[in-house]
Every structure is written in structure tokens, then in C-alpha cells.
Amino acid sequence: MPKFYCDYCDTYLTHDSPSVRKTHCSGRKHKENVKDYYQKWMEEQAQSLIDKTTAAFQQGKIPPTPFSAPPPAGAMIPPPPSLPGPPRPGMMPAPGPPERTVLHANLAACQLLLGQPQLAAQSCDRVLEREPGHLKALYRRGVAQAALGNLEKATADLKKVLAIDPKNRAAQEELGKVVIQGKKQDAGLAQGLRKMFG
Ligand SMILES: [Zn+2]
């Protein structure tokens, strides 16, 4: 009788019968291994996505701003050169395919990792123009604004996330940090005022 191999636990079971398998698979250790396995897999997926996006961004495949986005069809006819004309199509955020939203949302995550909160906030703006309720973009812009010291904007974005998804742990934690950061700023300001007038 062939032995049963459990992928998750990386072990062979001594017997292969339905009852042995059932006992093994309902064991605490096996369940933990399954959880670890999927957690690791998810982290690898996320990391590879981030790596790919970062690489594409660094190679210039993803435009860092919407201004280089292709103009919408129908806006291709340039105005006659004699007319000053309305702003050129390139000046307007062009409605693009929905993939762009995903790209900009992922790009924002990479920009945060790269320590570029200003760019991350801009990427999120692009996403939120099209999808005002995009949770990840709202959250990432909140994080970016907090990093830039724009605590009111950060609070507004994070509160929007929590209005849509009240149990969002990441947003709860980030909002907590922003509140603490705000108190420190206030304390610093008060101290400065005391020095000036005290
Ligand atoms: Zn197992």
C-alpha cells in the first residue's frame, strides 16, 4: 500500500486509509501547516506583484503621471494651429481602461515602499478620480498623506476607508498613528508658543 504524503506537513503518513487521513487532516499541527502554507504563498504572490510593478515602473513602462496616458479616441484630431484652443487632450486625465486603475493602485503601493509618498498620493488621486470608493487607493493615500505630514487629509482618507469597511484593521491602526502624530504636533506647537510668549 503506498504511503500517503502530506504536502503541507512535508511528511509521510505511516498508513494510507481514509480514517488515518481524516485524523491527520483534522489535527492541529496539520491545520497550522496549511495556514502557514497559504500565508507564505499569498506573501510570495504579493511580493512578486510588487517586484514586477516596481521593475516595470523603473523601466518606464508605467507612466509616473497621467499626462503621458494616451489621449482618448476621438480627441486625436489636433486643433488648427492658428487657434489658441482649449487645453490639449494631454492636459486632461484621459479615461482609460480599468487596468490602469489597478496599475496605479499597485504603483502607489510600490511608491510608498520606495519612500515616495508624494508620488504615491498622486497615483492614488488617479485611481480615486475614476473610483472614488477604491479602498486600497484611499488607504494608501491616507498613509502617503500621513508620511507627508498632511494629517487632516490622512484622517479624511482613512475615515472614508472605515466608513466603507469599519473592520479594516490596517486603516484602524494607521488612523491611530495619525491621531498620535497629531497630538505630538499639537504638543510641539504649544511648546513653541510657550517659548515665544511664555
Ligand atoms: Zn498534513
Side-chain angles (χ1 to χ4, degrees), residues 4-11 13 21 24-27 29-31 33-34:
F4 175 70
Y5 176 69
C6 178
D7 254 326
Y8 302 112
C9 303
D10 193 24
T11 50
L13 304 191
R21 279 197 210 192
H24 172 80
C25 291
S26 59
K29 197 140 184 264
H30 173 82
K31 282 181 180 168
N33 285 334
V34 172

Side-chain angles (χ1 to χ4, degrees), residues 130-196:
R130 279 194 205 108
E131 279 186 52
H134 195 290
L135 271 187
K136 283 179 182 168
L138 279 170
Y139 169 73
R140 286 172 190 157
R141 194 171 65 179
V143 173
Q145 295 294 4
L148 292 166
N150 300 328
L151 301 187
E152 277 177 28
K153 285 183 182 174
T155 305
D157 280 340
L158 294 169
K159 280 188 176 169
K160 272 183 216 161
V161 174
L162 291 171
I164 301 166
D165 180 13
K167 287 183 181 164
N168 191 306
R169 274 291 294 277
Q172 287 170 357
E173 282 173 19
E174 190 62 29
L175 189 57
K177 282 189 219 163
V178 170
V179 169
I180 292 168
Q181 207 178 331
K183 281 181 183 158
K184 279 184 190 162
Q185 267 187 11
D186 287 348
L189 186 67
Q191 204 178 17
L193 289 173
R194 271 197 300 276
K195 270 184 194 160
M196 279 167 78

Side-chain angles (χ1 to χ4, degrees), residues 16-140:
D16 185 14
S17 72
S19 73
V20 166
R21 279 197 210 192
K22 206 179 157 199
T23 310
H24 172 80
C25 291
S26 59
R28 194 173 59 89
K29 197 140 184 264
H30 173 82
K31 282 181 180 168
E32 272 174 20
N33 285 334
V34 172
K35 206 181 87 189
D36 286 353
Y37 179 88
Y38 282 109
Q39 205 161 8
K40 208 169 154 236
W41 182 81
M42 296 256 293
E43 279 167 13
E44 276 166 13
Q45 294 296 304
Q47 191 55 52
S48 95
L49 185 67
I50 288 169
D51 290 347
K52 272 185 215 158
T53 312
T54 310
F57 173 63
Q58 282 168 350
Q59 287 165 20
K61 284 181 190 161
I62 301 171
T65 69
F67 302 125
S68 44
M76 296 300 283
I77 306 152
S82 57
L83 292 173
R88 300 290 291 259
M91 299 300 286
M92 304 281 280
E99 295 84 60
R100 228 162 243 292
T101 309
V102 176
L103 276 182
H104 279 293
N106 288 338
L107 182 58
C110 295
Q111 287 163 331
L112 281 176
L113 287 174
L114 293 169
Q116 301 170 328
Q118 184 74 55
L119 294 176
Q122 284 172 10
S123 296
C124 294
D125 286 343
R126 295 282 141 308
V127 177
L128 294 166
E129 272 166 17
R130 279 194 205 108
E131 279 186 52
H134 195 290
L135 271 187
K136 283 179 182 168
L138 279 170
Y139 169 73
R140 286 172 190 157

